[in-house]
Amino acid sequence: MLLVLLQMLVIVSSAPRRCDPGIRGLCRPTVEEKPKCTDVLLSYCDDMPYTQTMFPNILGHKTREDAEAGAEYLLMSVVESLLGGECNPEIRMLGCSVVAPRCEKEKVLKPCRSTCEVVRKKCSHAFEGIDMAWPYFLDCDRFFVSDQEGCYDPLEGLRAEQDIEDVDNMEMPPPEDPVTTIKFSYHSNAQMISTLKKIEDRCSDVAKTYSIGRSMEGKELLVIEFSNNPGEHELLEPEMKYVGNMHGNEVLGRELLIYLAQYLCSEYLVGNERIQTLINTTRIHILPSMNPDGYEVAVSGAQDNTGDDEEESHRYDSWNIGRNNAQNVDLNRNFPDLTSIVYSRRRQKGYRTDHIPIPDYYWFGKVAPETYAVMKWIRSIPFVLSANFHGGDLVVSYPYDLSKHPLEHNIISSTPDEQVFKFLARTYASAHGTMSSESARCGPSRSNSEKGIINGAQWSSFSGGMQDFNYLHTNCFEVTVELGCDKFPPEEELFIGWHENHEALITFIEAAHRGIKGIVKDEEGNAIKGARISVRGIRHDVTTAENGDYWRLLTPGIHIVSASAPGYTRVWKKVHLPPRMQTAGRVDFVLQKAVLEPDMQEEDDSIPSMGTYDRFDPYNQYERYTLMADLSLNREERVEKPWWWSYFVQPGGPAPTWLLKHN
């Protein structure tokens, strides 16, 4: 026992004495280690004219990791795409001189104010063009110093390279326009928006962007339109639309529509007669991504699967990653099921297959914001023709998507416009590089498709699809284009996708001019809105737009066409459309006033027990549902933010309000 006590005493006595401020000389002051120069390891700053930096930096980032996680470095990494290649790499290198400042002999050197002022004068308009404030960390007075204070030029290496390039390229032709030059690579949501905005600026006479709403996570659903009078519906000019990326993981269509927008702009500018004629006579609307939230999930899934040894297994597991929206809703099953209503009433006298009202019970289900936005969009514009793009097969399918079989077995379920839809589907498939070839077929449509086209219900029956809704609720004829069995093809195959589809994309737009068009007026020359255009033998009418004009897609041949409206007598005309006729035949109608027959208004405008066509979201259920679901963001505040804002807001982090022009 005594031996144990002696050992404990030795241990205690040998232990270092604790610091006691009351005993002089016992405590030694802590010496902080001075920051030292360290290698520049930021990937977006690896081309600076120096190799050493120091942390903490001028902005207060204590480590390289802190700098990489900051909104400043994020802006530097995407500024090229945000500004459409303008002022690159000047802005990025200027930012690097602040985020990763030059260090020599354990001392930080500051960049020259004169360089900053030159870049700001050159590039401030580019930031104004996207409604973004000049970045605070590029404040020339705050973070840069004068020549007399011993500064350095952060663009020194760049200037030397440019001087050499200028000498080498003195006799070279001017570079291609970066806005309209197609780069066959994938676009992030921010890059897609930036590209569309740049196209709008480059081709401002014929292009305009507009938003139809926002996704569940607040991303803008941006459309770009092409017309000789963008933003306006012109009398007798057909309107058509392309919709891509409805399923977030089916991405080729999204990229093709971005490339198409660039192509239309560039070819119009260089004087391509075919493209100029198309834009001058058609109003073309392009929505590259209907599901931007799902796309981001799909991109993350694709990156996670890169380089896996069991590639086939992973491809199967990731087949549907990102397909649905942020609510896990399949947008192509989320539209009102009007096809079932048509089937249930097809034996009733006077049943019809057009302008079917949306049943009230639909609004009490889960209506995705993306679905709602598209429904309002197609109700607000008199679209004639449409295609939506998917992946997973190589075929063009056409309505109906829902089988008429009582058990929904996959059987051909034709619309009254079966021949028109076959013609439209063949138009795309035949102009495609390989789609109509039997050797190129893939996916589940192989056994039933005919030269690259197939009836939707014969292929895979489902309800709530977008193409059925277009046909049964509006004047618009829509088909679904499946672009290939690889839903997320490698980037190096994007050029092949464009090469195979670009002629089909143009040819399909031209199909909006097939059939007949005209104006319906009364005897006094007043346009009649909502008049019905009927074709004998086809139980599906189209209606006139605000100014009395209409478009009716038809196949070549002889057709008996009539126009009618409540309070007017019906007028019939015989129309002959030659096989090689490439433009719509002009067929106008003048209707005479007549005594309104009993119940005619109800027959024309409503379906018993369902209400009228104009009855859209009567209980305001969508707004209530959205307000309940939108817990994380203030909806009114979010709408006021620029299109790029959500890209920089990180969950749990401070909002980079310095990016906003008006805080």
Side-chain angles (χ1 to χ4, degrees):
M1 183 67 180
L2 181 61
L3 182 60
V4 173
L5 290 173
L6 287 172
Q7 289 176 339
M8 292 178 64
L9 182 62
V10 171
I11 294 172
V12 171
S13 62
S14 63
R17 300 178 69 181
R18 293 184 179 179
C19 175
D20 187 348
I23 302 175
R24 186 176 179 183
L26 189 59
C27 296
R28 295 182 179 179
T30 303
V31 179
E32 292 186 5
E33 187 177 347
K34 292 184 178 180
K36 296 181 180 180
C37 293
T38 182
D39 291 340
V40 177
L41 299 177
L42 297 173
S43 59
Y44 284 96
C45 300
D46 60 3
D47 58 348
M48 295 298 289
Y50 55 87
T51 59
Q52 297 247 293
T53 186
M54 180 183 285
F55 290 100
N57 63 13
I58 305 173
L59 303 179
H61 298 134
K62 294 182 179 180
T63 64
R64 173 179 62 84
E65 289 77 11
D66 290 344
E68 287 180 325
E72 298 88 353
Y73 189 69
L74 177 60
L75 175 61
M76 290 157 51
S77 69
V78 299
V79 70
E80 180 180 3
S81 59
L82 281 176
L83 303 182
E86 195 170 355
C87 296
N88 182 67
E90 291 96 326
I91 292 293
R92 176 179 56 77
M93 295 180 73
L94 207 63
C96 285
S97 70
V98 176
V99 174
R102 186 170 188 164
C103 184
E104 291 182 1
K105 299 178 181 179
E106 315 307 333
K107 183 180 178 181
V108 169
L109 303 182
K110 290 191 175 182
C112 292
R113 183 179 299 132
S114 57
T115 302
C116 177
E117 290 172 344
V118 169
V119 174
R120 179 162 188 171
K121 183 177 181 180
K122 173 186 175 183
C123 301
S124 59
H125 76 280
F127 285 89
E128 291 173 1
I130 61 172
D131 201 28
M132 180 181 285
W134 182 258
Y136 84 94
F137 62 96
L138 300 184
D139 186 326
C140 300
D141 295 324
R142 184 176 174 187
F143 299 110
F144 299 78
V145 297
S146 65
D147 297 346
Q148 291 76 16
E149 296 176 81
C151 66
Y152 75 96
D153 182 359
L155 305 184
E156 179 183 353
L158 177 64
R159 297 188 200 285
E161 292 178 5
Q162 288 178 337
D163 290 341
I164 295 173
E165 288 180 3
D166 290 343
V167 173
D168 292 341
N169 299 330
M170 286 181 64
E171 298 182 1
M172 295 291 288
E176 294 181 314
D177 188 338
V179 176
T180 57
T181 300
I182 299 176
K183 297 179 181 178
F184 295 100
S185 58
Y186 283 110
H187 292 73
S188 68
N189 286 324
Q191 290 169 336
M192 174 184 68
I193 298 292
S194 175
T195 300
L196 297 182
K197 293 281 187 180
K198 287 294 180 182
I199 294 171
E200 176 185 29
D201 291 340
R202 186 71 182 87
C203 289
S204 57
D205 290 342
V206 294
K208 180 180 180 180
T209 61
Y210 64 93
S211 174
I212 62 170
R214 291 184 180 268
S215 69
M216 189 62 197
E217 293 184 344
K219 297 178 183 66
E220 198 164 25
L221 303 178
L222 194 70
V223 175
I224 186 167
E225 67 163 286
F226 289 89
S227 168
N228 62 342
N229 190 15
E232 299 291 335
H233 170 71
E234 295 188 80
L235 194 68
L236 293 174
E237 184 171 281
E239 311 225 13
M240 71 84 57
K241 61 182 167 72
Y242 277 141
V243 179
N245 204 204
M246 187 181 196
H247 290 147
N249 63 328
E250 298 169 11
V251 299
L252 180 56
R254 169 189 169 110
E255 296 303 325
L256 292 181
L257 294 185
I258 296 172
Y259 304 157
L260 176 63
Q262 293 177 299
Y263 179 80
L264 292 175
C265 177
S266 64
E267 293 301 301
Y268 189 92
L269 292 176
V270 300
N272 183 319
E273 185 176 343
R274 182 186 185 192
I275 299 303
Q276 288 186 339
T277 299
L278 200 60
I279 291 176
N280 290 337
T281 59
T282 321
R283 193 177 177 204
I284 306 161
H285 305 254
I286 300 172
L287 174 62
S289 183
M290 182 179 167
N291 187 5
D293 298 345
Y295 174 78
E296 288 195 343
V297 175
V299 169
S300 299
Q303 291 172 345
D304 291 343
N305 291 337
T306 301
D308 197 288
D309 293 336
E310 299 178 3
E311 182 178 347
E312 289 302 321
S313 173
H314 267 270
R315 287 172 68 86
Y316 177 80
D317 293 339
S318 63
W319 183 252
N320 288 324
I321 292 177
R323 174 186 175 92
N324 297 346
N325 79 337
Q327 301 165 286
N328 199 29
V329 171
D330 186 332
L331 300 180
N332 206 30
R333 307 292 189 276
N334 194 230
F335 285 81
D337 177 15
L338 305 183
T339 320
S340 293
I341 295 173
V342 169
Y343 288 160
S344 67
R345 297 178 179 274
R346 59 187 170 184
R347 290 184 175 83
Q348 297 181 8
K349 182 180 179 181
Y351 96 101
R352 66 173 193 256
T353 65
D354 60 88
H355 300 84
I356 307 297
I358 299 172
D360 288 354
Y361 60 76
Y362 168 76
W363 300 106
F364 293 92
K366 182 182 281 190
V367 182
E370 298 89 346
T371 309
Y372 188 91
V374 169
M375 285 195 295
K376 288 197 71 174
W377 182 40
I378 66 177
R379 283 171 58 94
S380 65
I381 295 175
F383 289 115
V384 179
L385 180 64
S386 175
N388 75 86
F389 295 89
H390 291 257
D393 211 311
L394 187 64
V395 73
V396 180
S397 77
Y398 56 89
Y400 293 125
D401 273 331
L402 180 63
S403 172
K404 62 185 178 182
H405 192 281
L407 300 178
E408 293 189 22
H409 292 167
N410 294 344
I411 61 171
I412 295 177
S413 303
S414 305
T415 68
D417 280 288
E418 172 80 357
Q419 296 306 313
V420 176
F421 274 117
K422 280 188 172 182
F423 167 78
L424 295 174
R426 287 195 187 103
T427 297
Y428 195 98
S430 299
H432 185 277
T434 61
M435 191 177 290
S436 60
S437 171
E438 291 187 10
S439 60
R441 295 181 191 175
C442 66
S445 71
R446 282 180 297 185
S447 58
N448 293 313
S449 63
E450 177 187 345
K451 293 186 178 179
I453 72 170
I454 193 170
N455 175 261
Q458 182 188 18
W459 175 31
S460 178
S461 175
F462 64 90
S463 62
M466 186 164 67
Q467 70 176 10
D468 280 15
F469 178 79
N470 270 270
Y471 179 67
L472 295 176
H473 190 66
T474 74
N475 290 337
C476 187
F477 285 51
E478 180 172 278
V479 299
T480 298
V481 181
E482 297 279 345
L483 294 166
C485 285
D486 195 343
K487 294 186 177 184
F488 207 130
E491 201 167 61
E492 55 268 24
E493 294 181 10
L494 292 177
F495 170 75
I496 298 174
W498 171 250
H499 178 72
E500 291 179 339
N501 285 275
H502 108 267
E503 175 60 29
L505 289 165
I506 301 301
T507 302
F508 190 79
I509 297 174
E510 292 171 333
H513 293 272
R514 304 301 288 264
I516 60 174
K517 65 180 179 181
I519 303 174
V520 179
K521 298 180 179 180
D522 63 17
E523 291 177 293
E524 297 176 355
N526 301 311
I528 302 177
K529 175 188 175 182
R532 288 186 166 274
I533 306 300
S534 306
V535 180
R536 183 176 293 174
I538 301 177
R539 188 167 284 188
H540 184 90
D541 299 344
V542 299
T543 57
T544 54
E546 191 74 31
N547 297 318
D549 49 347
Y550 76 90
W551 306 260
R552 210 324 175 171
L553 296 174
L554 290 170
T555 55
I558 296 175
H559 303 278
I560 306 300
V561 184
S562 71
S564 62
Y568 295 89
T569 57
R570 182 183 294 269
V571 174
W572 296 89
K573 289 190 176 183
K574 186 177 182 180
V575 177
H576 177 232
L577 297 177
R580 299 184 181 276
M581 188 172 179
Q582 300 297 316
T583 58
R586 180 73 181 267
V587 183
D588 294 335
F589 292 91
V590 177
L591 304 186
Q592 296 179 339
K593 287 280 182 70
V595 178
L596 183 64
E597 299 177 7
D599 300 328
M600 184 175 179
Q601 185 71 31
E602 181 180 358
E603 180 183 346
D604 279 340
D605 294 336
S606 67
I607 292 180
S609 79
M610 290 186 60
T612 66
Y613 177 82
D614 292 331
R615 189 176 173 86
F616 187 77
D617 194 7
Y619 305 111
N620 207 21
Q621 287 295 106
Y622 174 78
E623 184 172 340
R624 295 179 196 170
Y625 164 69
T626 303
L627 291 175
M628 288 190 303
D630 198 8
L631 299 176
S632 59
L633 292 172
N634 181 286
R635 193 158 174 258
E636 293 182 2
E637 180 182 350
R638 183 181 68 203
V639 171
E640 296 173 359
K641 296 291 190 293
W643 55 267
W644 42 258
W645 174 252
S646 60
Y647 188 78
F648 292 95
V649 177
Q650 301 176 4
T657 53
W658 49 268
L659 289 166
L660 302 174
K661 293 181 68 174
H662 305 288
N663 293 339

